[in-house]
Amino acid sequence: MIWLSYIIMYYNTQKHSLKLKPEISADYIFENITISQIYNGELEFQVQAKKAVIYEDDNIVRLEESEGTLLESEESLLLFTSPKANYHLDDYQLNLDKAHVAYVVNEKALWLYTDALQWLPLSLQATSSGNATIITDEIQIESTLMAFDMKEKRITLKNNPQLRIAKHE
């Protein structure tokens, strides 16, 4: 079950700009690449991209036209697409630009469309800045600031979220 909580307070988040450095100075450029993270023999994360650019000085993989899967458990997973993304090799942080996300639990989906999404896998948390829309079968929520805690299964919405309740057919 996912709990929604609305908190009125100042929340300091950063918009993550996904600017590409000039490719001419890139250390590595890959096309049609798949990046997988495996822990104890189990696939935890996989992302595919049409293009990946790496600069050794910052340990960030810049991805274009990416789609991926985060496997949380046997019952839940997170699917995403993004035209531009940054994957940090040191802490596995993933920043998605114009993200379309489906969080699937027991074959039920929560859809998220957002301007910018920051995924922090080590803490199992995500934050969204900019316009964000969350859609389930029963509700639609719009907000400009969202925090999602996958451990607690809790979404926190800030900055005047709007909720619509309706049965979608």
Side-chain angles (χ1 to χ4, degrees), residues 1-127:
M1 176 175 245
I2 297 176
W3 292 95
L4 296 174
S5 60
Y6 173 58
I7 299 174
I8 302 172
M9 62 190 286
Y10 178 74
Y11 185 68
N12 184 16
T13 61
Q14 302 172 13
K15 279 197 174 183
H16 296 278
S17 175
L18 302 181
K19 297 177 184 167
L20 287 176
K21 292 182 178 180
E23 284 184 16
I24 196 109
S25 64
D27 294 298
Y28 305 97
I29 298 174
F30 300 96
E31 294 194 5
N32 299 317
I33 186 172
T34 298
I35 299 171
S36 300
Q37 181 177 319
I38 299 171
Y39 183 74
N40 287 336
E42 305 258 337
L43 180 66
E44 287 187 337
F45 167 75
Q46 188 168 62
V47 63
Q48 293 136 350
K50 286 189 178 179
K51 189 174 198 175
V53 178
I54 302 172
Y55 303 87
E56 287 181 354
D57 63 337
D58 62 8
N59 283 325
I60 297 173
V61 181
R62 288 158 177 81
L63 304 167
E64 293 180 18
E65 301 301 325
S66 63
E67 59 184 52
T69 305
L70 301 165
L71 302 168
E72 184 187 34
S73 68
E74 290 182 21
E75 304 88 36
S76 63
L77 62 104
L78 188 121
L79 307 166
F80 67 87
T81 63
S82 175
K84 290 184 182 176
N86 286 344
Y87 178 64
H88 297 249
L89 297 172
D90 51 357
D91 62 2
Y92 314 113
Q93 174 181 312
L94 182 66
N95 297 328
L96 303 172
D97 186 33
K98 305 290 182 207
H100 291 183
V101 179
Y103 181 58
V104 182
V105 179
N106 296 323
E107 299 182 17
K108 291 194 172 232
L110 177 143
W111 298 92
L112 169 66
Y113 306 100
T114 181
D115 289 341
L117 184 73
Q118 178 186 36
W119 166 245
L120 306 165
L122 298 179
S123 62
L124 293 175
Q125 300 202 0
T127 58

